[in-house]
Amino acid sequence: GAVVSQHPSRVICKSGTSVKIECRSLDFQATTMFWYRQFPKQSLMLMATSNEGSKATYEQGVEKDKFLINHASLTLSTLTVTSAHPEDSSFYICSGGRGRNEQFFGPGTRLTVL
Amino acid sequence: GENVEQHPSTLSVQEGDSAVIKCTYSDSASNYFPWYKQELGKGPQLIIDIRSNVGEKKDQRIAVTLNKTAKHFSLHITETQPEDSAVYFCAASHNAGNMLTFGGGTRLMVKP
């Protein structure tokens, strides 16, 4: 149990376009979902925390207007990178919280902005 | 806030040997300590976790120990195999917000 999926697994886009990444908890209800960003050979950096039906809480330094997060249901959260630029290229990973602090991660989305 | 330090950053062992990765945390309120394994190009996978009411937990070749007084916890992998090669992350959390604070990661290489 505790499976999280992400779609797409990789995406290449042109500078200035927007990209949407979906995160789904397949076999549990995720009351909280987290979005992370990971650069090569580095640890995970928390971008934002979202609870179903409410606005996301962004970490310091993360632009909320650039990284739009929607958590419409207990099994789906989306991250939209708006007006993407090459510096937004990274590995984006979501996780679903199942309660008692447990987090289960998706397989990640590799974003490349040309 | 919480700060988690992880050592070593890289670890190379011979197949069959044991591997130990250590983490320290700063917030005495932390009560949940998971370990994740991340293979190249994939998301982190939970391999074992421990809560503050327990000192040790074991699952086949993997064990985790926790010393609340010293605020450190360790991952022990015995009889290592090449497929154990990956990056391992420790993390710490307390009940407020369910957020995890991650260590910097350890790249484990198991040589056949």
PDB file of all heavy atoms in Angstrom, chain A residues 21-37:
ATOM      1  N   ILE A  21       2.048  19.386 -13.443  1.00  0.00           N
ATOM      2  CA  ILE A  21       2.446  18.064 -12.962  1.00  0.00           C
ATOM      3  C   ILE A  21       1.368  17.573 -12.015  1.00  0.00           C
ATOM      4  O   ILE A  21       0.949  18.295 -11.106  1.00  0.00           O
ATOM      5  CB  ILE A  21       3.804  18.129 -12.226  1.00  0.00           C
ATOM      6  CG1 ILE A  21       4.883  18.699 -13.146  1.00  0.00           C
ATOM      7  CG2 ILE A  21       4.202  16.743 -11.725  1.00  0.00           C
ATOM      8  CD1 ILE A  21       6.186  19.032 -12.430  1.00  0.00           C
ATOM      9  N   GLU A  22       0.923  16.333 -12.220  1.00  0.00           N
ATOM     10  CA  GLU A  22      -0.106  15.747 -11.365  1.00  0.00           C
ATOM     11  C   GLU A  22       0.492  14.763 -10.373  1.00  0.00           C
ATOM     12  O   GLU A  22       1.401  14.009 -10.698  1.00  0.00           O
ATOM     13  CB  GLU A  22      -1.139  14.992 -12.216  1.00  0.00           C
ATOM     14  CG  GLU A  22      -2.092  15.888 -12.981  1.00  0.00           C
ATOM     15  CD  GLU A  22      -3.230  15.082 -13.584  1.00  0.00           C
ATOM     16  OE1 GLU A  22      -3.202  13.837 -13.498  1.00  0.00           O
ATOM     17  OE2 GLU A  22      -4.138  15.715 -14.151  1.00  0.00           O
ATOM     18  N   CYS A  23      -0.064  14.764  -9.184  1.00  0.00           N
ATOM     19  CA  CYS A  23       0.369  13.849  -8.133  1.00  0.00           C
ATOM     20  C   CYS A  23      -0.883  13.182  -7.560  1.00  0.00           C
ATOM     21  O   CYS A  23      -1.806  13.882  -7.117  1.00  0.00           O
ATOM     22  CB  CYS A  23       1.111  14.626  -7.048  1.00  0.00           C
ATOM     23  SG  CYS A  23       1.606  13.648  -5.614  1.00  0.00           S
ATOM     24  N   ARG A  24      -0.895  11.858  -7.568  1.00  0.00           N
ATOM     25  CA  ARG A  24      -2.063  11.130  -7.087  1.00  0.00           C
ATOM     26  C   ARG A  24      -1.674  10.089  -6.044  1.00  0.00           C
ATOM     27  O   ARG A  24      -0.702   9.350  -6.232  1.00  0.00           O
ATOM     28  CB  ARG A  24      -2.777  10.402  -8.229  1.00  0.00           C
ATOM     29  CG  ARG A  24      -3.419  11.322  -9.246  1.00  0.00           C
ATOM     30  CD  ARG A  24      -4.114  10.527 -10.342  1.00  0.00           C
ATOM     31  NE  ARG A  24      -4.657  11.405 -11.375  1.00  0.00           N
ATOM     32  CZ  ARG A  24      -5.860  11.951 -11.328  1.00  0.00           C
ATOM     33  NH1 ARG A  24      -6.678  11.690 -10.321  1.00  0.00           N
ATOM     34  NH2 ARG A  24      -6.279  12.747 -12.301  1.00  0.00           N
ATOM     35  N   SER A  25      -2.422  10.033  -4.963  1.00  0.00           N
ATOM     36  CA  SER A  25      -2.272   8.931  -4.019  1.00  0.00           C
ATOM     37  C   SER A  25      -3.257   7.853  -4.466  1.00  0.00           C
ATOM     38  O   SER A  25      -4.454   8.092  -4.570  1.00  0.00           O
ATOM     39  CB  SER A  25      -2.561   9.388  -2.591  1.00  0.00           C
ATOM     40  OG  SER A  25      -3.845   9.969  -2.473  1.00  0.00           O
ATOM     41  N   LEU A  26      -2.731   6.668  -4.765  1.00  0.00           N
ATOM     42  CA  LEU A  26      -3.541   5.637  -5.427  1.00  0.00           C
ATOM     43  C   LEU A  26      -4.334   4.775  -4.461  1.00  0.00           C
ATOM     44  O   LEU A  26      -5.413   4.286  -4.808  1.00  0.00           O
ATOM     45  CB  LEU A  26      -2.647   4.765  -6.308  1.00  0.00           C
ATOM     46  CG  LEU A  26      -1.909   5.498  -7.433  1.00  0.00           C
ATOM     47  CD1 LEU A  26      -1.137   4.511  -8.286  1.00  0.00           C
ATOM     48  CD2 LEU A  26      -2.875   6.314  -8.287  1.00  0.00           C
ATOM     49  N   ASP A  27      -3.808   4.539  -3.277  1.00  0.00           N
ATOM     50  CA  ASP A  27      -4.485   3.597  -2.389  1.00  0.00           C
ATOM     51  C   ASP A  27      -4.660   4.150  -0.983  1.00  0.00           C
ATOM     52  O   ASP A  27      -4.880   3.382  -0.040  1.00  0.00           O
ATOM     53  CB  ASP A  27      -3.738   2.264  -2.357  1.00  0.00           C
ATOM     54  CG  ASP A  27      -2.272   2.457  -1.998  1.00  0.00           C
ATOM     55  OD1 ASP A  27      -1.839   3.604  -1.774  1.00  0.00           O
ATOM     56  OD2 ASP A  27      -1.551   1.447  -1.949  1.00  0.00           O
ATOM     57  N   PHE A  28      -4.567   5.457  -0.831  1.00  0.00           N
ATOM     58  CA  PHE A  28      -4.843   6.057   0.464  1.00  0.00           C
ATOM     59  C   PHE A  28      -5.246   7.507   0.242  1.00  0.00           C
ATOM     60  O   PHE A  28      -5.014   8.079  -0.826  1.00  0.00           O
ATOM     61  CB  PHE A  28      -3.629   5.973   1.402  1.00  0.00           C
ATOM     62  CG  PHE A  28      -2.452   6.833   0.991  1.00  0.00           C
ATOM     63  CD1 PHE A  28      -2.199   8.044   1.633  1.00  0.00           C
ATOM     64  CD2 PHE A  28      -1.587   6.425  -0.021  1.00  0.00           C
ATOM     65  CE1 PHE A  28      -1.112   8.827   1.264  1.00  0.00           C
ATOM     66  CE2 PHE A  28      -0.503   7.209  -0.396  1.00  0.00           C
ATOM     67  CZ  PHE A  28      -0.264   8.416   0.249  1.00  0.00           C
ATOM     68  N   GLN A  29      -5.870   8.074   1.244  1.00  0.00           N
ATOM     69  CA  GLN A  29      -6.270   9.474   1.165  1.00  0.00           C
ATOM     70  C   GLN A  29      -5.190  10.324   1.819  1.00  0.00           C
ATOM     71  O   GLN A  29      -4.860  10.123   2.996  1.00  0.00           O
ATOM     72  CB  GLN A  29      -7.611   9.670   1.868  1.00  0.00           C
ATOM     73  CG  GLN A  29      -8.763   8.999   1.110  1.00  0.00           C
ATOM     74  CD  GLN A  29     -10.112   9.320   1.720  1.00  0.00           C
ATOM     75  OE1 GLN A  29     -10.219   9.488   2.929  1.00  0.00           O
ATOM     76  NE2 GLN A  29     -11.136   9.418   0.895  1.00  0.00           N
ATOM     77  N   ALA A  30      -4.652  11.230   1.040  1.00  0.00           N
ATOM     78  CA  ALA A  30      -3.562  12.081   1.521  1.00  0.00           C
ATOM     79  C   ALA A  30      -4.137  13.396   2.019  1.00  0.00           C
ATOM     80  O   ALA A  30      -4.485  14.271   1.227  1.00  0.00           O
ATOM     81  CB  ALA A  30      -2.550  12.327   0.411  1.00  0.00           C
ATOM     82  N   THR A  31      -4.246  13.520   3.318  1.00  0.00           N
ATOM     83  CA  THR A  31      -4.785  14.769   3.873  1.00  0.00           C
ATOM     84  C   THR A  31      -3.862  15.940   3.581  1.00  0.00           C
ATOM     85  O   THR A  31      -4.302  17.071   3.430  1.00  0.00           O
ATOM     86  CB  THR A  31      -4.972  14.638   5.391  1.00  0.00           C
ATOM     87  OG1 THR A  31      -3.752  14.149   5.954  1.00  0.00           O
ATOM     88  CG2 THR A  31      -6.079  13.653   5.725  1.00  0.00           C
ATOM     89  N   THR A  32      -2.595  15.643   3.487  1.00  0.00           N
ATOM     90  CA  THR A  32      -1.610  16.675   3.154  1.00  0.00           C
ATOM     91  C   THR A  32      -0.732  16.159   2.026  1.00  0.00           C
ATOM     92  O   THR A  32      -0.357  14.984   2.016  1.00  0.00           O
ATOM     93  CB  THR A  32      -0.724  17.006   4.375  1.00  0.00           C
ATOM     94  OG1 THR A  32      -1.550  17.352   5.482  1.00  0.00           O
ATOM     95  CG2 THR A  32       0.209  18.171   4.065  1.00  0.00           C
ATOM     96  N   MET A  33      -0.429  17.043   1.082  1.00  0.00           N
ATOM     97  CA  MET A  33       0.523  16.687   0.029  1.00  0.00           C
ATOM     98  C   MET A  33       1.647  17.705   0.029  1.00  0.00           C
ATOM     99  O   MET A  33       1.428  18.885   0.341  1.00  0.00           O
ATOM    100  CB  MET A  33      -0.161  16.627  -1.335  1.00  0.00           C
ATOM    101  CG  MET A  33      -0.968  15.344  -1.526  1.00  0.00           C
ATOM    102  SD  MET A  33      -1.577  15.163  -3.210  1.00  0.00           S
ATOM    103  CE  MET A  33      -2.125  13.461  -3.192  1.00  0.00           C
ATOM    104  N   PHE A  34       2.828  17.228  -0.276  1.00  0.00           N
ATOM    105  CA  PHE A  34       4.023  18.052  -0.247  1.00  0.00           C
ATOM    106  C   PHE A  34       4.665  18.044  -1.625  1.00  0.00           C
ATOM    107  O   PHE A  34       4.686  17.028  -2.310  1.00  0.00           O
ATOM    108  CB  PHE A  34       5.020  17.496   0.775  1.00  0.00           C
ATOM    109  CG  PHE A  34       4.474  17.356   2.170  1.00  0.00           C
ATOM    110  CD1 PHE A  34       3.758  16.224   2.547  1.00  0.00           C
ATOM    111  CD2 PHE A  34       4.684  18.346   3.120  1.00  0.00           C
ATOM    112  CE1 PHE A  34       3.255  16.078   3.830  1.00  0.00           C
ATOM    113  CE2 PHE A  34       4.189  18.212   4.413  1.00  0.00           C
ATOM    114  CZ  PHE A  34       3.477  17.090   4.765  1.00  0.00           C
ATOM    115  N   TRP A  35       5.241  19.177  -1.990  1.00  0.00           N
ATOM    116  CA  TRP A  35       5.985  19.288  -3.241  1.00  0.00           C
ATOM    117  C   TRP A  35       7.427  19.652  -2.937  1.00  0.00           C
ATOM    118  O   TRP A  35       7.696  20.593  -2.183  1.00  0.00           O
ATOM    119  CB  TRP A  35       5.355  20.337  -4.163  1.00  0.00           C
ATOM    120  CG  TRP A  35       4.070  19.851  -4.778  1.00  0.00           C
ATOM    121  CD1 TRP A  35       2.807  20.061  -4.318  1.00  0.00           C
ATOM    122  CD2 TRP A  35       3.944  19.056  -5.962  1.00  0.00           C
ATOM    123  NE1 TRP A  35       1.893  19.440  -5.147  1.00  0.00           N
ATOM    124  CE2 TRP A  35       2.562  18.819  -6.156  1.00  0.00           C
ATOM    125  CE3 TRP A  35       4.845  18.519  -6.877  1.00  0.00           C
ATOM    126  CZ2 TRP A  35       2.079  18.074  -7.239  1.00  0.00           C
ATOM    127  CZ3 TRP A  35       4.356  17.777  -7.936  1.00  0.00           C
ATOM    128  CH2 TRP A  35       2.996  17.559  -8.120  1.00  0.00           C
ATOM    129  N   TYR A  36       8.332  18.873  -3.537  1.00  0.00           N
ATOM    130  CA  TYR A  36       9.750  19.070  -3.331  1.00  0.00           C
ATOM    131  C   TYR A  36      10.429  19.316  -4.685  1.00  0.00           C
ATOM    132  O   TYR A  36       9.946  18.909  -5.741  1.00  0.00           O
ATOM    133  CB  TYR A  36      10.389  17.826  -2.699  1.00  0.00           C
ATOM    134  CG  TYR A  36       9.928  17.485  -1.313  1.00  0.00           C
ATOM    135  CD1 TYR A  36       8.760  16.761  -1.091  1.00  0.00           C
ATOM    136  CD2 TYR A  36      10.688  17.855  -0.199  1.00  0.00           C
ATOM    137  CE1 TYR A  36       8.342  16.429   0.181  1.00  0.00           C
ATOM    138  CE2 TYR A  36      10.281  17.513   1.091  1.00  0.00           C
ATOM    139  CZ  TYR A  36       9.113  16.808   1.260  1.00  0.00           C
ATOM    140  OH  TYR A  36       8.714  16.471   2.531  1.00  0.00           O
ATOM    141  N   ARG A  37      11.584  19.909  -4.579  1.00  0.00           N
ATOM    142  CA  ARG A  37      12.437  20.116  -5.744  1.00  0.00           C
ATOM    143  C   ARG A  37      13.801  19.549  -5.384  1.00  0.00           C
ATOM    144  O   ARG A  37      14.256  19.691  -4.232  1.00  0.00           O
ATOM    145  CB  ARG A  37      12.537  21.611  -6.035  1.00  0.00           C
ATOM    146  CG  ARG A  37      13.289  21.984  -7.283  1.00  0.00           C
ATOM    147  CD  ARG A  37      13.131  23.477  -7.542  1.00  0.00           C
ATOM    148  NE  ARG A  37      13.845  23.851  -8.736  1.00  0.00           N
ATOM    149  CZ  ARG A  37      13.844  25.075  -9.252  1.00  0.00           C
ATOM    150  NH1 ARG A  37      13.163  26.052  -8.654  1.00  0.00           N
ATOM    151  NH2 ARG A  37      14.520  25.334 -10.334  1.00  0.00           N
TER     152      ARG A  37
END
